[in-house]
Amino acid sequence: MKNIKYLFIVLGLVVATSCGDVLDTVAKDAFAEDLIYSDPDQLLGLLATSYNSTESWSINKYEWWGRRFGYEGGSFEAKFNFQDKDLYGMRAGLTPSNAAIFQQKWANYWKYVRYTNEFLDRIDASPAMANEPAITSIMKAEMQFLRANLYSKLIKHYGGVPIMENALGLEDNFDLPRNTYEECVAFIVKELDEAAAALPETRPDNEFGRATKLSALAVKARTLLYAASKLHDPAFAPSNDPLFTYSKSSKWQDAADAAKVIIDMVGERDLIATATAEEYQQMFLSPHQDILFARPFGAELYDFGDDPNSLWDKTQSPNGFDGWALSSPTLNFALEFNMTDGTTTNGGTYDATKPNDGREMRYYANLIYNGCQFRGREIEYWLSDDVNAFPHGLDSPEGLGNNQHSSKTGYNIRKFQDESVDVNGGISANRPYILYRLAEVYLNYAEAQYHLGNEADARKFVNKVSSRALQPDVTASGTDLLEAIKRERRIELSFEGHNFFDERRWMQEDHLGFDIKGHKWNKKADGTLDFVEYTVVTRPYFEKHYYLPILQADIERAPALQQNFGY
């Protein structure tokens, strides 16, 4: 029997497969090719390995720090907390020789493109397809979905990239030029349309985490929304180069239509109702019908192999709970949360001396703040004027645990945390990491309809999201409506990996470079609390950071690749 004989050296594709990849299988290495492609059970092993490409809480599983936080610390939402390290490179600036926490992104994505291409090269002529076409055809569609999802991620990080539909052999040319951004979007849409046609609409509970028709359509909807955005408009793009621009005149209609297919399939239903912040928080701790695609986790399946310290209960809890609090939400972002009555923090009922009072439910569901109840006690970020009368707060820079993990902004992340499990090693039975969900699709549709001039539809669908959080209906029009849609997207999708890209595609420069603000809390000798607002650190704005650099080693390996602008 033949062994697999592909050469994988182009585009940084030579990377070691991590022992921490969940659901990894020995089948792809230990069995001969003919056996694998004749047995659907062995093919499931290959498929499971490729599902690791979807990622989860971790921004970079191949780097110790990167396993423990996501994109939030490089976005408007938060900053990296421990020792004020610049792990995202947002302050020092990324370079082709140092892409900071993103260093392995290019190579990792191409590794998984290679896995999907190997599978798709062989599956149609395989004995498995001949003998069990129904099952095997679905697995083929899943691989197409995964490859398209990979390309969707590649182009939002890098712009246009080489389109590789086949695994490269020994005699093939490895020096591949980049395709244009438009060509890549067209390829992704084609792949997803084909996948959606073959994928089932639903899955049984024991297949949660595998792609459905709705999963494929959700990737398509997001991809087309991003393509239609200001960042890719030739009139505004920071580099008017086909690697980055999208000039289709129908772009906003295409984005709206892609979202509307999903909306019609679900019957335009309301999102699952939540009456309290606690009920809203629970939406991120177990599977439910509004999830269109997610990574599954369970009692024996952690985010990184069997390392429980890669889950947010440990990595985001305050230091007073022996947590690492790696991502500190910025005060700038906290001020985006409305008041209960729907007014903003720029006026109305907001009292800047009582910043935690009267806020909308998602403020309480998503953020940990001074004085809130968390894991059975009150959060104490304050330092004391008189330690004899009042010892320093348990979660302060002089509190419990490793003080270097104390929040620098006066906030920590509550979203995704299961407060019923132990910080050290606890894991929920069925906690998902949600990658695509119905609320995003409604917001995608609202944004596209706004740009098409259909403000009534835009308001209708932004309100389908905000009303679930018990907010009054948005009644704005014009640019105020667009700002309301953006704000709703920031809040509803907070800490889910969206904001890093949303602020870029909107070209919201004051949210890319800005003074990161926080609160310092203090307990006086008489027991009263006060705080001061201060600048934690300044994050500069670099135009080149609209995209990541391609590493210089990869450019040297394949000189036909063009480096991104600014690098």
Side-chain angles (χ1 to χ4, degrees):
M1 292 182 288
K2 298 178 292 182
N3 291 322
I4 302 173
K5 297 186 187 219
Y6 288 107
L7 184 61
F8 311 122
I9 61 173
V10 70
L11 304 177
L13 299 185
V14 177
V15 287
T17 300
S18 169
C19 61
D21 269 0
V22 299
L23 292 178
D24 210 348
T25 175
V26 298
K28 61 181 171 57
D29 295 320
F31 292 93
E33 204 171 67
D34 293 342
L35 174 60
I36 296 172
Y37 285 93
S38 64
D39 182 356
D41 288 337
Q42 293 296 332
L43 290 177
L44 276 174
L46 293 179
L47 184 62
T49 297
S50 293
Y51 266 104
N52 287 312
S53 66
T54 59
E55 302 177 301
S56 55
W57 283 280
S58 59
I59 192 170
N60 183 355
K61 287 185 180 180
Y62 296 84
E63 200 271 344
W64 191 91
W65 279 115
R67 296 171 202 153
R68 290 162 169 81
F69 54 83
Y71 286 90
E72 67 284 341
S75 76
F76 183 62
E77 298 170 328
K79 68 174 293 293
F80 185 78
N81 190 48
F82 182 68
Q83 294 180 345
D84 200 33
K85 291 178 179 290
D86 185 25
L87 293 188
Y88 294 85
M90 293 294 103
R91 302 202 306 266
L94 302 175
T95 71
S97 60
N98 184 1
I101 203 68
F102 307 100
Q103 189 83 2
Q104 291 92 353
K105 280 287 181 188
W106 177 266
N108 290 343
Y109 288 153
W110 287 112
K111 178 187 74 172
Y112 285 113
V113 169
R114 182 225 320 162
Y115 288 172
T116 60
N117 281 344
E118 289 175 13
F119 185 99
L120 293 168
D121 279 353
R122 296 191 55 84
I123 196 63
D124 284 340
S126 69
M129 183 66 83
N131 297 329
E132 299 191 56
I135 296 174
T136 308
S137 293
I138 291 174
M139 286 192 281
K140 176 185 175 181
E142 287 177 86
M143 278 295 199
Q144 284 187 286
F145 160 80
L146 291 170
R147 181 167 69 180
N149 189 55
L150 279 162
Y151 268 91
S152 186
K153 292 192 295 184
L154 276 162
I155 64 172
K156 71 183 182 182
H157 285 90
Y158 299 100
V161 296
I163 295 174
M164 299 170 61
E165 296 188 66
N166 304 99
L168 297 177
L170 291 170
E171 304 303 320
D172 290 321
N173 176 27
F174 296 99
D175 190 14
L176 301 176
R178 298 167 65 176
N179 288 80
T180 68
Y181 183 84
E182 267 192 48
E183 290 169 341
C184 290
V185 171
F187 171 68
I188 292 164
V189 168
K190 175 186 72 70
E191 289 283 284
L192 292 168
D193 283 343
E194 292 176 6
L199 288 168
E201 287 196 22
T202 61
R203 294 274 191 179
D205 289 347
N206 65 352
E207 291 183 1
F208 179 75
R210 291 181 66 179
T212 65
K213 189 182 302 291
L214 288 170
S215 307
L217 295 172
V219 180
K220 177 181 175 180
R222 185 188 297 178
T223 301
L224 288 171
L225 179 79
Y226 278 36
S229 298
K230 184 177 181 179
L231 178 62
H232 303 294
D233 188 323
F236 299 102
S239 176
N240 191 7
D241 183 308
L243 289 175
F244 312 106
T245 56
Y246 194 77
S247 58
K248 286 189 70 175
S249 60
S250 62
K251 62 183 182 180
W252 285 113
Q253 189 64 57
D254 293 344
D257 290 348
K260 190 61 162 58
V261 171
I262 299 170
I263 291 167
D264 290 344
M265 286 180 66
V266 302
E268 206 175 294
R269 68 169 183 255
D270 290 339
L271 301 175
I272 296 171
T274 54
T276 65
E278 291 75 17
E279 288 184 12
Y280 183 88
Q281 188 181 359
Q282 290 297 314
M283 294 290 295
F284 300 92
L285 300 180
S286 59
H288 54 78
Q289 67 173 356
D290 288 352
I291 296 174
L292 304 181
F293 183 67
R295 287 287 287 167
F297 297 92
E300 297 179 353
L301 192 60
Y302 298 81
D303 188 33
F304 183 80
D306 59 358
D307 180 2
N309 290 339
S310 60
L311 291 175
W312 276 29
D313 306 302
K314 177 68 173 181
T315 67
Q316 300 297 350
S317 285
N319 58 294
F321 297 85
D322 197 30
W324 292 348
L326 294 179
S327 302
S328 291
T330 66
L331 173 60
N332 318 60
F333 177 66
L335 290 171
E336 292 280 317
F337 289 80
N338 277 350
M339 307 303 290
T340 302
D341 64 4
T343 58
T344 72
T345 56
N346 292 323
T349 56
Y350 178 66
D351 183 348
T353 68
K354 300 176 181 178
N356 303 319
D357 291 357
R359 306 298 288 273
E360 63 161 287
M361 72 156 62
R362 290 171 295 190
Y363 183 87
Y364 304 111
N366 293 347
L367 299 178
I368 300 170
Y369 55 88
N370 190 72
C372 78
Q373 287 292 320
F374 179 72
R375 293 185 177 270
R377 69 163 173 83
E378 192 173 285
I379 291 294
E380 301 176 347
Y381 289 138
W382 42 265
L383 292 172
S384 176
D385 284 348
D386 184 348
V387 294
N388 293 317
F390 302 103
H392 293 303
L394 298 177
D395 311 296
S396 73
E398 299 294 335
L400 299 178
N402 185 337
N403 296 339
Q404 295 182 93
H405 288 298
S406 64
S407 175
K408 309 302 185 294
T409 63
Y411 289 100
N412 290 117
I413 298 175
R414 191 169 208 152
K415 194 173 190 178
F416 306 120
Q417 293 211 46
D418 186 346
E419 295 168 45
S420 71
V421 304
D422 193 279
V423 167
N424 291 298
I427 186 167
S428 310
N430 296 296
R431 178 169 21 179
Y433 181 77
I434 302 171
L435 292 159
Y436 296 88
R437 58 188 179 99
L438 188 58
E440 180 201 346
V441 173
Y442 287 167
L443 292 170
N444 293 349
Y445 190 66
E447 187 174 340
Q449 288 294 355
Y450 170 83
H451 286 286
L452 289 169
N454 302 325
E455 292 195 358
D457 279 341
R459 280 189 292 269
K460 176 181 177 179
F461 280 88
V462 74
N463 285 328
K464 287 179 81 70
V465 179
S466 65
S467 64
R468 192 262 294 278
L470 306 186
Q471 284 281 283
D473 279 353
V474 171
T475 59
S477 60
T479 56
D480 288 343
L481 174 56
L482 179 59
E483 289 308 308
I485 293 168
K486 289 180 179 180
R487 190 210 71 86
E488 185 61 30
R489 190 175 180 94
R490 290 184 186 109
I491 300 308
E492 177 63 27
L493 304 179
S494 60
F495 311 125
E496 296 179 41
H498 292 270
N499 187 257
F500 183 90
F501 300 101
D502 281 341
E503 305 292 356
R504 282 165 169 74
R505 68 182 181 84
W506 294 328
M507 300 185 73
Q508 194 86 32
E509 293 179 6
D510 60 337
H511 285 189
L512 299 175
F514 58 100
D515 291 337
I516 293 174
K517 300 291 187 179
H519 283 155
K520 284 185 178 179
W521 287 86
N522 180 67
K523 178 166 276 196
K524 299 179 182 178
D526 63 3
T528 60
L529 287 172
D530 65 6
F531 64 88
V532 295
E533 179 180 318
Y534 80 114
T535 297
V536 182
V537 70
T538 296
R539 181 183 293 165
Y541 163 71
F542 296 99
E543 187 177 59
K544 65 181 181 178
H545 282 177
Y546 279 112
Y547 299 96
L548 301 184
I550 300 172
L551 295 184
Q552 186 59 35
D554 294 307
I555 296 287
E556 292 172 357
R557 192 177 292 123
L561 288 173
Q562 178 182 325
Q563 182 60 272
N564 282 337
F565 66 89
Y567 298 105

